Amino acid sequence: MASPIQPPDLTQCQKADVPGGSSPKCCLPSDPVKATDFQIDASLPMRVRMASHLLDAAYITKYNRAYELMRALPDDDPRSFSQQASVHCAFCQSAYLQKNSNEKLQIHFSWLFYPWHRWYLYFHERILAKMLNDDTFALPFWNWDNQAIFSPLPNVIPAVFIEKPALVDNTRAPSHQPPTLVDLTYSGKPGGLDPEQQRAENNNLMHQELVSGAKTPSLFFGQAYRAGDANAPGPGSVERAPHTAVHLWTGGDMGNFGTAGRDPIFYSHHANVDRLWNVWKSLGGRRKDITDPDWLNAEFVFYDENATLIKVKVGDAVSTEKLRYTYQNVPNPWITHISSPLSISIAGTKPVSSNGVASPAAAEATSLLEEIEEFGEEVEGKFKQLAGSAFQSKVKRPVKDLFRTLKKQITDEELEEVLVIQGVEVPSDKISKFDVFINLPDANDKTSINIPEFAGTFVNVPHLGMAPGMNRKATLRIGIGDKLEQLGIKDVSSIVVTLVPKGQGKDVPIVIKGIKIEYE
């Protein structure tokens, strides 16, 4: 039976706590009105979302004026800045239940993350255009993935968000003002890297999360989330990082999902996340939109530029051109980034030492692999708690032929090997992060991620709508086919996976319940 997520009853809003108690509820206007089905307006001009660091003076003036007018609207107007911020708070802090269910509705950590935020920005942008009476207006995107070294720098907080009053948020981290570079691996504590190292780590993270580690729709978008399911089954690659890391790095309101919409830079940040959806699809292979009807037919509601409640489908959001907007072309050099050859895997042929981490000599490789125990797949009652120290596990690779037989439509070249960290549980109200390395058992919190052994990361932004003591539960899935090829170990029967807690949440109790490899 079809079971796409449906819009909630807006008259039934629950309390969602946020920092300081400044907003006891994050609720949309609750008059019981029937939503109007969305109709694409083909008469709208094609809008171009520009990089925020490249805006000219005239556009900056218009951009600031749009937010001045939005902020001047009464708070009970669904188009007002405060109500726009409440939209994100409501659906990321589980202020509503799923329709005909007692399960809370959550738009993070699942395949709904990308399409919900695309629709959210679409209507936010149309409201700003209405304020200006200018249908050509488009939100700029914060081009933090661009590690260019020329001025104006794209990978710092853009000047427009510091100099224009309506675009300022005084809660942002003071230490992260320009010229400090955005840390796409941020976990609550400074990494201590010089600019060259930071750019290299940023590029490697982008390559891993969009190119190497996200070759299939489920790896990019996240886990399936259907009507009646428990929320937040598992995030896609970009949602984990860099998306989440940029929230934490910016700090203040942006550092908590319940308050993120209060900072105008949030919408520019998510415009770049949205742009990356288009970039990812342009890379080819199996990088295509999900075809599952429960994804395409999932529905949300938003208030439009005329304060009319509109019902939308995911399937209507897969093409930005149909929504009458596109993005300025900017370079994406991370697509072809090659990480530094700092180490050789256990199955390699020579020892190497760098960044304070010593990889084992070839003579020790076999015995070391045998000494590391296999944690195994998830079974009831078994778990491992990471709290300040790395954890290593041998992981057996299953027989690929069986999976190739089950997925006859997938060629051997397209069949993706996926590392699955099962039963991840982290405190919902705390920053937490761990990095994942392959065949680098000595990896620690000082290990650079700009090395071939880095496979991916998991980051949690506090969700204060969930009470202290409650845990966020998820499954972490990382594509590793290219990684094994790069390390020269595509034919080995087992690998070693090392999980390394990092940053401010290094000592936060992170629970995992299983580690396995599967094919997709």
Side-chain angles (χ1 to χ4, degrees), residues 208 212 345 347 395 397-398 400 416-419 437-439 452-455 478-497 517-519:
Q208 179 59 31
S212 175
S345 66
V395 184
R397 299 174 67 202
K400 183 183 290 188
E416 176 64 333
E417 190 161 350
V418 180
L419 176 65
F437 295 89
I438 292 177
N439 276 22
E453 286 84 357
F454 172 71
I478 300 172
I480 61 171
D482 282 358
K483 188 64 53 182
L484 300 185
E485 180 85 25
Q486 184 182 16
L487 292 170
I489 53 173
K490 64 178 183 177
D491 296 322
V492 299
S493 60
S494 298
I495 63 173
V496 171
V497 172
I517 289 174
E518 61 188 22
Y519 289 95

Side-chain angles (χ1 to χ4, degrees), residues 127-375:
I127 293 168
L128 292 170
K130 178 80 171 184
M131 297 295 101
L132 296 167
N133 193 28
D134 179 2
D135 281 337
T136 68
F137 176 80
L139 281 167
F141 63 94
W142 181 11
N143 193 198
W144 36 251
D145 60 298
N146 185 347
Q147 305 306 308
I149 61 174
F150 50 81
S151 182
L153 294 175
N155 55 336
V156 299
I157 292 180
V160 66
F161 296 104
I162 298 171
E163 298 171 355
K164 292 300 177 180
L167 302 173
V168 169
D169 184 310
N170 290 321
T171 70
R172 297 176 196 145
S175 61
H176 292 164
Q177 299 300 301
T180 303
L181 300 182
V182 177
D183 180 358
L184 301 184
T185 72
Y186 189 71
S187 55
K189 290 176 64 176
L193 303 178
D194 65 36
E196 182 179 359
Q197 292 172 321
Q198 187 64 71
R199 288 186 172 98
E201 293 216 347
N202 287 347
N203 275 329
N204 199 49
L205 179 101
M206 290 298 301
H207 183 86
Q208 179 59 31
E209 302 295 24
L210 272 100
V211 184
S212 175
K215 295 170 70 175
T216 70
S218 70
L219 292 172
F220 178 76
F221 288 103
Q223 297 292 284
Y225 180 35
R226 310 177 198 275
D229 287 353
N231 66 45
S237 58
V238 173
E239 183 181 3
R240 296 192 309 264
H243 157 261
T244 300
V246 174
H247 271 278
L248 293 174
W249 182 89
T250 307
D253 286 333
M254 273 280 283
N256 183 283
F257 284 158
T259 57
R262 298 177 184 178
D263 188 339
I265 206 172
F266 166 89
Y267 305 95
S268 188
H269 165 50
H270 266 277
N272 197 43
V273 173
D274 183 74
R275 181 185 69 89
L276 294 175
W277 180 356
N278 288 0
V279 174
W280 175 77
K281 287 194 290 186
S282 75
L283 299 178
R286 294 174 62 192
R287 300 178 183 90
K288 301 174 182 178
D289 290 319
I290 296 168
T291 57
D292 190 315
D294 284 347
W295 186 74
L296 293 169
N297 293 320
E299 295 179 334
F300 318 119
V301 288
F302 296 92
Y303 283 94
D304 72 1
E305 65 269 29
N306 300 311
T308 301
L309 191 65
I310 303 294
K311 183 170 66 175
V312 299
K313 289 181 180 289
V314 166
D316 287 330
V318 296
S319 169
T320 58
E321 290 196 357
K322 286 186 177 180
L323 294 178
R324 306 303 295 162
Y325 74 90
T326 186
Y327 286 96
Q328 176 185 13
N329 286 326
V330 293
N332 302 300
W334 45 263
I335 291 175
T336 56
H337 176 77
I338 299 175
S339 56
S340 300
L342 298 180
S343 58
I344 298 297
S345 66
I346 290 176
T349 58
K350 59 182 179 180
V352 125
S353 179
S354 59
N355 277 12
V357 180
S359 294
E364 304 174 38
T366 302
S367 61
L368 182 55
L369 189 60
E370 292 175 351
E371 289 172 5
I372 295 175
E373 296 183 357
E374 181 181 7
F375 184 58

